[in-house]
Amino acid sequence: MQTLNKHPDIKVLAIFLGPNDPWDMPSGQGGKYLRYASAEWEELYRSRIRDIISSAQSRNVDLIWISSPNMRRKKLSEQVAYLNGLYESEVLQAGEVFLSANQVFQYPEATYSDYMGDGSLKQKMRSGDGIHFTLAGQRTLADALFDRITFIPEQQAQHDTAPTAHTLN
């Protein structure tokens, strides 16, 4: 959150985490590691999510949390779905915006495709590793993110009765 401290003019924070997180992690109490998805692990991970949200909110920065989409490898996809559930519940409870990458890519249920939706559109969204995005996939996700942001210039906002100079859809 050093960046938010250095740049108090930031109004919106977009967060994308997940595919690199389904691992055991240090407990913060010495050499002990918490087993991925254990109750202790989840408690610590949720506290980290809440810390990010709290840091943004304490600086009056709106937050849009973007979930990871389904992955080609079933195990990783299941792990990412678990993390997405944690993000969604914490973000919505805090009154912030949660953007589902699966909805953006039109993936039903646990479906994975290199292409949008059922694969009938021939523009490839995902890279060959089944994890990362192609340039078209990056643009599609970025467009969905920007669709949720309404920019109101500071001068106009000062004359409005709205409490902030930005709005999220």
Side-chain angles (χ1 to χ4, degrees):
M1 297 291 108
Q2 294 173 356
T3 300
L4 292 178
N5 287 334
K6 281 183 175 179
H7 303 282
D9 56 332
I10 292 175
K11 301 294 183 203
V12 178
L13 178 64
I15 301 286
F16 179 89
L17 301 173
N20 292 323
D21 285 0
W23 309 105
D24 296 349
M25 70 175 154
S27 67
Q29 302 171 353
K32 182 181 175 190
Y33 272 67
L34 302 177
R35 185 171 175 86
Y36 172 74
S38 68
E40 298 84 9
W41 186 98
E42 183 175 320
E43 182 180 329
L44 179 58
Y45 199 80
R46 281 183 182 274
S47 75
R48 291 178 177 188
I49 296 168
R50 287 190 297 267
D51 287 347
I52 293 169
I53 295 168
S54 177
S55 290
Q57 289 179 332
S58 70
R59 292 165 178 84
N60 294 316
V61 174
D62 285 322
L63 181 96
I64 303 174
W65 202 295
I66 307 153
S67 71
S68 297
N70 297 330
M71 303 290 161
R72 182 180 295 141
R73 282 190 16 241
K74 183 179 180 191
K75 182 179 179 183
L76 180 58
S77 196
E78 289 168 352
Q79 291 170 320
V80 164
Y82 166 73
L83 294 173
N84 287 342
L86 302 181
Y87 305 141
E88 183 174 21
S89 67
E90 294 296 333
V91 168
L92 295 179
Q93 184 175 342
E96 298 296 339
V97 176
F98 181 81
L99 175 61
S100 168
N102 284 331
Q103 288 179 351
V104 172
F105 290 128
Q106 301 171 15
Y107 291 161
E109 303 292 320
T111 300
Y112 171 86
S113 175
D114 284 341
Y115 301 89
M116 185 79 88
D118 62 3
S120 62
L121 300 173
K122 293 304 174 198
Q123 184 144 26
K124 194 171 181 183
M125 297 285 124
R126 305 293 288 280
S127 69
D129 65 6
I131 298 170
H132 296 93
F133 306 109
T134 63
L135 185 55
Q138 292 171 20
R139 285 186 181 140
T140 299
L141 204 52
D143 288 345
L145 170 68
F146 289 125
D147 284 347
R148 282 156 179 81
I149 300 170
T150 302
F151 176 73
I152 301 171
E154 291 288 336
Q155 292 173 340
Q156 179 183 347
Q158 291 172 2
H159 299 294
D160 291 343
T161 59
T164 60
H166 53 285
T167 305
L168 297 176
N169 296 331

